[in-house]
Amino acid sequence: MKYTLPALPYAYDALEPVIDEQTMRVHHRGHHQAYVDKLNKILDPHPKLQLPVDDLLSRLETLPADIRTEVENNAGGHANHTLFWSVLAPGSAKEPTGEIAQAIAQDFGNFRNFREKFEQQGTKHFSNGWVWLCAENNGSLSVLTTKDHQSPLSRGLTPLFVMDLWEHSYYLKHQNKRPDYLAGMWSVANWPEVGRRWEDFRQNGYSNREWREAI
Ligand code: MN3
């Protein structure tokens, strides 16, 4: 079986005006599809390595050295975008509630502090990458950025929430103003989904199960 592009859980124009329809179409059908296609091509000669993308990213060091970087780039591109689509939603709650809200308050003081830290990290990150909210193995939360398509899964962390920092995710609408893009994204953050991932992590120690692909 092959890796496939997941359908968006909403229409391409559903996140307007925060993310414009054209950006969503090019990002999903163009960029994300290309990572899926490249991953299939790289792993075509390696049927035993055609594992769920999260598993590939969790065990990069065990992959053959000659394909490791390409797998990281394209499995990461596939997994990171799949998560990104899922933690966005039109008309969603503006702030988290329940257990994830309590955890954010405990580790960052309050939601506003978390938002500021997340936007600061996302703004100062140089060049392409992603800004993440992750669960550490000890149950604490952390904000971090990764380069290119590197995944926190490769560091043993569980991603809960993410924003894409590549220019292709905001340049058509915001041009060079990445801080404006990041500030606007809070009105389309899917906190119920982030909360579900946190509760899954608390119960099972691993929150990505639903997004693993059946192969
Ligand atoms: Mn992208």
Side-chain angles (χ1 to χ4, degrees):
M1 283 184 70
K2 296 290 188 184
Y3 300 94
T4 56
L5 182 70
L8 269 192
Y10 35 77
Y12 285 109
D13 64 356
L15 304 180
E16 293 264 13
V18 179
I19 308 181
D20 59 286
E21 178 178 357
Q22 188 183 5
T23 295
M24 288 298 291
R25 282 187 188 279
V26 174
H27 202 173
H28 181 252
R29 289 191 189 169
H31 292 278
H32 190 170
Q33 181 72 62
Y35 300 123
V36 171
D37 293 344
K38 285 178 195 162
L39 184 61
N40 281 325
K41 190 174 176 186
I42 295 160
L43 292 183
D44 189 56
H46 304 277
K48 287 183 179 174
L49 296 179
Q50 291 172 15
L51 302 166
V53 279
D54 292 350
D55 286 352
L56 287 172
L57 295 166
S58 299
R59 60 174 82 167
L60 281 177
E61 72 281 0
T62 68
L63 301 179
D66 61 327
I67 62 168
R68 195 176 301 156
T69 300
E70 278 191 305
V71 169
E72 179 172 31
N73 288 342
N74 293 286
H78 182 20
N80 297 355
H81 284 99
T82 299
L83 175 62
F84 182 55
W85 311 133
S86 79
V87 296
L88 301 178
S92 193
K94 298 288 186 291
E95 292 192 16
T97 56
E99 289 186 18
I100 185 64
Q102 291 171 18
I104 286 173
Q106 181 174 322
D107 288 352
F108 300 101
N110 55 47
F111 179 64
R112 179 185 290 203
N113 287 350
F114 158 73
R115 258 180 61 157
E116 284 180 7
K117 183 168 188 177
F118 195 91
E119 288 184 37
Q120 281 171 1
Q121 295 263 327
T123 297
K124 78 178 186 184
H125 179 83
F126 184 73
S127 193
N128 294 326
W130 300 78
V131 55
W132 306 84
L133 172 67
C134 290
E136 309 257 356
N137 282 336
N138 66 6
S140 65
L141 297 174
S142 61
V143 171
L144 64 139
T145 61
T146 59
K147 289 182 178 179
D148 300 328
H149 285 321
Q150 292 173 355
S151 170
L153 291 167
S154 306
R155 305 178 192 179
L157 304 174
T158 300
L160 301 175
F161 180 67
V162 69
M163 287 190 196
D164 191 337
L165 301 178
W166 288 58
E167 286 184 346
H168 65 229
S169 63
Y170 62 85
Y171 211 86
L172 285 177
K173 185 174 178 71
H174 296 285
Q175 292 80 51
N176 59 332
K177 297 185 282 292
R178 187 193 284 175
D180 290 357
Y181 156 73
L182 289 172
M185 294 290 279
W186 298 111
S187 61
V188 291
N190 185 354
W191 287 110
E193 172 61 13
V194 179
R196 190 199 62 74
R197 294 177 62 82
W198 170 247
E199 286 171 30
D200 192 26
F201 168 79
R202 297 272 286 165
Q203 288 175 12
N204 303 310
Y206 194 84
S207 68
N208 248 356
R209 194 165 294 103
E210 190 170 298
W211 288 97
R212 293 180 170 210
E213 294 185 59
I215 288 198

